[in-house]
Structures are given as structure tokens and as C-alpha cells.
Amino acid sequence: MPDYTIRVRRYDPESGQAAYWQDFTVDLAPERSVLDAILRARWDQDGSIGIRCSCQAAICGSCGVRINGKSSLACNTKLGEALERAEKYGFDRIVVEPMGNMPVIKDLIVDMDAVHWKKVQRVVPWLLPEGDPPEREYIVPPESMIDITQSMACIHCGACVSACLSMEVDPEFVGPAALAKAYRFVGDPRDAHHEDRLLDLAEDPHGIYDCTHCFACVEVCPKDVAPMNQIMRLRRRATGDYEIKDANAGYGHEKAFVNLIEKYGTLHESQLLPRSYGEGSLIKSQIKPGSVAKLIPQTGTVVNGLKSGKVSPIKALIHHKLPDQKQVRRIFKEIESKDERIELNLYIVGEEAEDEEQGTMAEGGQES
Ligand code: SF4
Ligand code: SF4
Ligand code: FES
């Protein structure tokens, strides 16, 4: 059996010593997990290694760590694959660290209560129905439950929290896991406070508009919850269904973005900021009471834009349309002609589509 060396970040805040790296070599098959390697090292070499785990089957969510820099479940990462990834980046051993964005309690154990669970509590993670409960169970349409299945799949491992770049910059950001949890209730027809929940998360400067669409949470989630997608769905509900015009100009920013793409095909950066404060319109941004006042604190953004070349007096006046702009308009018209917003939950629909495709191939013998 091959030897694998894991390099573990050791840290005990109570010891007063700085963090340090320690290598352990274990003799395990490549299919065994990184968690197996850590536990083997703890049994055979150093009983003081701190690691949290329970199910060892990617179900309980307790063994989240960073492996070669990527937030992952230690029990769900094979040693062979982890080493291959390390070698790709020029390392000859597997590097294991505690998750990011959360304080370390000891070695690989982070304080989930201080960050992750606190943020989950922030979104009121229980149903708030109104009126008397039914005599028997609540009956809900199956489609609405399918809609929230993806967010319900979360095992609260904290990998997305660990990887979130916005949270690194703004530790107050509600964050991917808690916002995915919020969608679980906003999408549930039994809950009677959808609008209040959305208003609350839209008005919060660390709420739904604090995500920068970096995709890191989507990439690391072991359960395909795709937290960023759930955040986008919260935004769509807030703007599309409830027209929530929030203090953070999230509503206006979305409208401005869409209007500019419809008009030019590409983003007219110089107009994005003023339009965002004018609910998507350049004229409104100049005449709407309060818009100009809101724009003044954004002067720093304009200066940064000028420095980076994204904004210039010429660019502010002239922005070329895409040569094939008509095609973009055609897509807009097609979408606007729909009576209702069609939102596919790819978590479920993707599988059905695959099954259907396989069925078609099996029946017809060729791809349709
Ligand atoms: S997409 Fe948004 S929520 Fe997800 S990691 Fe990036 S900033 Fe955080
Ligand atoms: S959304 Fe995914 S990565 Fe985030 S806590 Fe839930 S299961 Fe873990
Ligand atoms: S030990 Fe339960 S998810 Fe890894």
C-alpha cells in the first residue's frame, strides 16, 4: 500500500504558541479518505490532533476542512485524488487546514456556533405560518416542494461559508449557507412571511445584495445546494414578485444591468452606477428625490472606475452596441412574452431531463 504524507496545520489558542505545520505519513490505500488518514495519524502517532467527525459518510457535515486550499469534507475526499490535486500545484503532500472565515478552536476544529449557526439563526430558520393549523397535515403542491429540495439538501458542513470571498471582506455578510436556508422558507407555501423575510434580507446591507457572484460556494458544496443560485432566486423574488426597492439599491442595480444589456448588448459601466440609483433609469437618477444624495457617497467608486479605465468622459458618452444587438433584443422579447417566470430547479429537472433523454435513446435508438 502506498504511503501518503499529510501536512496538518496545528494550533491550540490556549497554548499561547503560534500555529505550525506537522507532517504525518500513513500507509493507506488511495481510495481511503483524508479523514481516515487524519484518524490513523491520531491513533498511531499523535493523540492530540483535533478533528471533528461523526458519520464518515458525507452525511453529518461535521468534518469540513480545507484540503490543498479547497473547502471539502475530509471523509468525502479520497487520498489518491487529494494527492493528485496537490501535485498539480507543485506539492508532494496533502495539505490539511481548518476551514476559513471561522475562528479555530483547535487544529482542524472551527467554531461553527460563532459564525455559521449564528448566521443561520439570523434568517429565522423555521416556518412562520398564519392562522389556525389544519386539523390534519398541511397539503402543499409537490412542485413547490421540488422547488426547495435543493436548499433542503444542505448538511450544514460550512464549506461554502469557509470559501465565501464576500464573507472574507465583510464578516457580517449573512453568507451562502444561511441565505440558501432563507430560500428554503421563502419558497415554502406554508410560510406566511415571504415578503417580510425578503424585505429584511434586501434592506440588510450584509444581506442578499452583498454576494458578489464569485461561484466559490457553488464549487465547494458537497451536496450541490448551489447557494449562490438560491441567493439569486431570493433576489428575483424580492425584485420580480414583490418589487422591493431596498435601501442598498439592489433593485435599481438589477434593473440598470438588465436595461443596459437590452439596449447595448454589453455593460455600459459608466451608466451602471447612476442608473442603479434611478431604479434602472438614467433620467430618474437625476430627478428622483434622494437619488443624487445617494450618489454622492459613491464618488470613491467613480474615482476607482476612472483610475482603472472602466470609466472615462468619452466612455460615459459613447458606448457601442453589439453588432448583433437584434439577437439580444429577440431573447428579451421571447422571455417577456411568457405569462409567468419559468424557473428550472436544475437539481431535479436536470436528472429528469437525463432520464428522458436516455428513455428516448432507448426507444428510438438515436438521439432526438
Ligand atoms: S457566490 Fe456569493 S455567497 Fe457564494 S461564495 Fe461567492 S460571494 Fe459568497
Ligand atoms: S450549502 Fe453546501 S457547502 Fe454550504 S453548508 Fe450547506 S451543504 Fe455545506
Ligand atoms: S464525518 Fe460526517 S460528513 Fe464527514
Side-chain angles (χ1 to χ4, degrees):
M1 263 190 294
D3 280 346
Y4 286 97
T5 300
I6 52 168
R7 173 163 286 187
V8 179
R9 187 177 190 272
R10 309 292 310 268
Y11 179 53
D12 182 356
E14 285 178 9
S15 73
Q17 274 187 341
Y20 61 98
W21 295 100
Q22 194 173 4
D23 288 353
F24 300 94
T25 300
V26 292
D27 187 12
L28 286 172
E31 302 76 37
R32 300 290 293 276
S33 70
V34 171
L35 180 63
D36 287 334
I38 297 166
L39 295 178
R40 174 64 64 84
R42 189 167 72 171
W43 287 325
D44 295 348
Q45 301 172 51
D46 185 342
S48 72
I49 302 173
I51 172 82
R52 191 189 279 133
C53 66
S54 178
C55 71
Q56 305 194 30
I59 293 167
C60 73
S62 60
C63 67
V65 289
R66 275 184 295 186
I67 301 170
N68 304 320
K70 185 179 176 191
S71 303
S72 326
L73 294 177
C75 72
N76 198 31
T77 309
K78 293 192 177 96
L79 279 170
E81 288 167 10
L83 183 60
E84 260 175 45
R85 189 178 155 85
E87 284 170 349
K88 226 168 80 184
Y89 294 106
F91 293 103
D92 62 352
R93 56 205 61 201
I94 300 161
V95 180
V96 191
E97 300 166 79
M99 288 195 289
N101 292 331
M102 286 176 270
V104 176
I105 294 177
K106 183 175 187 292
D107 298 336
L108 302 172
I109 304 171
V110 294
D111 191 347
M112 299 275 287
D113 284 342
V115 181
H116 172 68
W117 290 112
K118 205 167 119 193
K119 288 175 188 295
V120 171
Q121 281 165 18
R122 154 77 184 82
V123 303
V124 192
W126 53 84
L127 277 176
L128 296 169
E130 227 158 53
D132 295 330
E135 267 178 36
R136 296 186 60 186
E137 71 273 25
Y138 282 100
I139 309 286
V140 290
E143 315 82 72
S144 58
M145 295 323 277
I146 287 174
D147 181 47
I148 55 174
T149 320
Q150 191 170 16
S151 49
M152 285 164 78
C154 173
I155 56 170
H156 294 283
C157 64
C160 56
V161 175
S162 162
C164 179
L165 299 183
S166 282
M167 210 179 263
E168 222 169 293
V169 178
D170 173 18
E172 296 296 310
F173 175 37
V174 179
L179 289 173
K181 176 58 86 184
Y183 187 76
R184 185 252 168 274
F185 296 104
V186 166
D188 192 318
R190 293 170 294 180
D191 192 277
H193 293 269
H194 295 167
E195 189 171 359
D196 304 333
R197 287 178 186 271
L198 290 165
L199 182 65
D200 171 38
L201 292 170
E203 290 289 8
D204 187 336
H206 315 287
I208 49 178
Y209 294 110
D210 207 13
C211 162
T212 56
H213 316 171
C214 73
F215 278 84
C217 55
V218 178
E219 201 185 310
V220 299
C221 176
K223 295 294 167 187
D224 291 334
V225 172
M228 187 190 77
N229 298 3
Q230 311 310 327
I231 298 170
M232 294 309 119
R233 298 169 101 193
L234 288 170
R235 287 187 188 180
R236 244 170 276 144
R237 289 268 170 121
T239 54
D241 295 352
Y242 295 100
E243 301 251 315
I244 292 174
K245 291 172 185 162
D246 57 295
N248 300 310
Y251 173 90
H253 190 67
E254 190 174 301
K255 282 262 178 291
F257 210 101
V258 172
N259 291 353
L260 287 168
I261 296 294
E262 186 178 10
K263 188 167 177 193
Y264 297 102
T266 57
L267 195 58
H268 191 335
E269 298 269 3
S270 310
Q271 285 196 9
L272 185 61
L273 188 62
R275 278 175 184 255
S276 297
Y277 287 92
E279 290 168 20
S281 146
L282 197 57
I283 297 169
K284 268 195 195 172
S285 74
Q286 287 151 13
I287 55 168
K288 215 174 121 257
S291 299
V292 178
K294 281 182 187 164
L295 268 166
I296 292 167
Q298 307 302 324
T299 318
T301 312
V302 177
V303 173
N304 286 341
L306 285 166
K307 274 192 200 156
S308 69
K310 271 188 172 182
V311 179
S312 73
I314 299 230
K315 280 184 186 168
L317 293 170
I318 304 163
H319 187 78
H320 296 291
K321 287 184 182 172
L322 274 187
D324 222 358
Q325 174 61 11
K326 276 192 191 144
Q327 294 298 335
V328 178
R329 287 254 166 85
R330 193 185 56 72
I331 296 169
F332 270 84
K333 270 199 188 135
E334 174 79 25
I335 295 167
E336 281 157 8
S337 69
K338 308 279 178 214
D339 291 335
E340 57 179 322
R341 192 174 67 228
I342 300 172
E343 219 169 287
L344 299 180
N345 181 338
L346 299 175
Y347 194 65
I348 302 293
V349 175
E351 280 176 21
E352 273 179 5
E354 242 170 54
D355 290 349
E356 272 168 25
E357 201 173 287
Q358 277 168 10
T360 319
M361 285 181 77
E363 282 160 27
Q366 58 181 12
E367 222 171 318
S368 57

